[in-house]
Amino acid sequence: MSNYSAHALKIYEITQQYVVRLIDDDQEILDQYLHYTKTHEPPQTLERLYLRLLESAQNANSKPRVIGDAIGGVESLGKVLDAFQPQAVLKRYSGWEELLDTVIEELNPRGEIRRAPKSLWPHFCRTVLSSAAFMVQFSSAQEFYQWADFFAKDAHARAALPLILSEEIHGIGFALACDFLKEIGYTQFGKPDVHIKAIFTTLSLCDPKARDYQISKAIDKFANAVGAEPYTVDKLFWLAATGDFYDHPLIAIATKKNTSRTKFLDYVQEQLS
């Protein structure tokens, strides 16, 4: 076993122990989060894929609060997006201003709606429209999966898939594209978010100046070393850093209080020393 593999495996084992202790040694609950097929059903229609893409698009920084929470969840947009039919959305709206006007009129979002082009709602409305334009390239969800499979199943071409999404869809960077892919069943992807970046750089699993693409490659390398899928690695580290057992609200009340990224990293470094 290489030095890297031994280092990675030790970190993985420590992390599993840490997270299991957060939930009173209930391994069964942890497994529900670490394995996609136990908790998810991949979207089977273009409409559901479109919705999932928009959920990932607002899953960054303050967007969940400003966008999703303000309207009772992204799924509420179905009222103004013709039940998430991409073709109908493109026919109905000529630009982000018209879409935002309709959102305000029909959904009455809470909070201040800033209309400057770089503000969150205008930014997200452009994402909604460019996501629809991307989705209409496919006649069905099955055709989308066939296209995505071409990249995802080839380790050498895999990273090209989130790169394409980030280029074609406004507001979907590499990390959010990875989030979308992993949440629709592509367990070959982890999301290089702020938690993963901090964990991987602090624990010397990647270069401190690594960009999202390089972080994604580092997740792959780590997953291969420990015999897990990138999706599982992503979820395990995310739970360790946040304690957000979202499918178990009563448990999450305690776990969110008992952990943080700093607490987790301090624990791992102490165990490694």
Side-chain angles (χ1 to χ4, degrees):
M1 181 182 293
S2 68
N3 289 338
Y4 173 85
S5 294
H7 179 62
L9 192 57
K10 183 64 174 177
I11 290 171
Y12 191 65
E13 291 171 348
I14 292 171
T15 304
Q16 285 186 307
Q17 294 167 2
Y18 179 89
V19 177
V20 168
R21 287 174 184 170
L22 284 176
I23 52 175
D24 296 326
D25 298 323
D26 195 329
Q27 184 68 46
E28 185 176 346
I29 287 179
L30 177 57
D31 287 344
Q32 292 176 27
Y33 291 82
L34 299 186
H35 303 290
Y36 183 90
T37 56
K38 289 188 177 183
T39 56
H40 295 78
E41 177 66 30
Q44 297 301 308
T45 66
L46 277 181
E47 290 79 12
R48 299 306 294 182
L49 274 172
Y50 182 28
L51 167 59
R52 179 60 251 183
L53 182 54
L54 297 184
E55 287 175 335
S56 288
Q58 67 99 54
N59 190 23
N61 302 324
S62 60
K63 283 184 180 179
R65 174 175 53 80
V66 175
I67 306 295
D69 291 352
I71 58 174
V74 174
E75 196 157 359
S76 298
L77 287 169
K79 183 178 179 181
V80 299
L81 297 181
D82 296 274
F84 296 102
Q85 298 179 67
Q87 189 69 54
V89 170
L90 295 179
K91 289 181 179 179
R92 182 173 179 181
Y93 301 106
S94 59
W96 69 263
E97 297 95 335
E98 186 178 1
L99 172 56
L100 183 53
D101 288 341
T102 305
V103 168
I104 293 171
E105 180 180 349
E106 297 195 25
L107 299 181
N108 190 28
R110 296 191 300 272
E112 181 183 1
I113 306 297
R114 297 181 178 179
R115 302 186 69 99
K118 292 185 179 181
S119 296
L120 289 182
W121 268 108
H123 182 79
F124 185 70
C125 285
R126 289 196 292 273
T127 298
V128 170
L129 297 178
S130 62
S131 295
F134 174 77
M135 281 297 171
V136 296
Q137 299 178 77
F138 307 98
S139 61
S140 65
Q142 289 66 38
E143 184 180 347
F144 170 84
Y145 287 123
Q146 288 173 0
W147 171 78
D149 285 351
F150 174 81
F151 297 96
K153 293 181 178 180
D154 184 338
H156 299 291
R158 188 172 299 146
L161 184 53
L163 282 173
I164 291 171
L165 292 172
S166 66
E167 288 295 321
E168 293 211 16
I169 303 172
H170 175 87
I172 296 284
F174 188 92
L176 292 180
C178 289
D179 183 69
F180 166 64
L181 292 166
K182 74 182 180 66
E183 293 301 329
I184 62 170
Y186 287 102
T187 55
Q188 304 96 326
F189 293 93
K191 179 186 177 184
D193 65 6
V194 62
H195 296 298
I196 290 290
K197 288 179 182 179
I199 291 168
F200 270 62
T201 55
T202 301
L203 300 180
S204 302
L205 296 170
C206 69
D207 189 284
K209 296 182 180 180
R211 295 175 295 176
D212 287 351
Y213 171 84
Q214 296 163 317
I215 296 286
S216 179
K217 301 292 283 186
I219 296 172
D220 284 350
K221 182 180 179 180
F222 184 92
N224 287 332
V226 304
E229 294 183 314
Y231 176 94
T232 299
V233 171
D234 173 286
K235 286 290 185 178
L236 183 64
F237 281 135
W238 185 78
L239 288 170
T242 68
D244 188 2
F245 285 82
Y246 45 84
D247 286 333
H248 298 80
L250 294 180
I251 291 175
I253 292 173
T255 53
K256 286 181 179 180
K257 292 180 179 179
N258 292 334
T259 192
S260 68
R261 190 172 72 220
T262 299
K263 287 182 180 179
F264 164 64
L265 285 171
D266 287 346
Y267 177 82
V268 175
Q269 291 175 307
E270 180 181 341
Q271 296 298 307
L272 291 173
S273 62

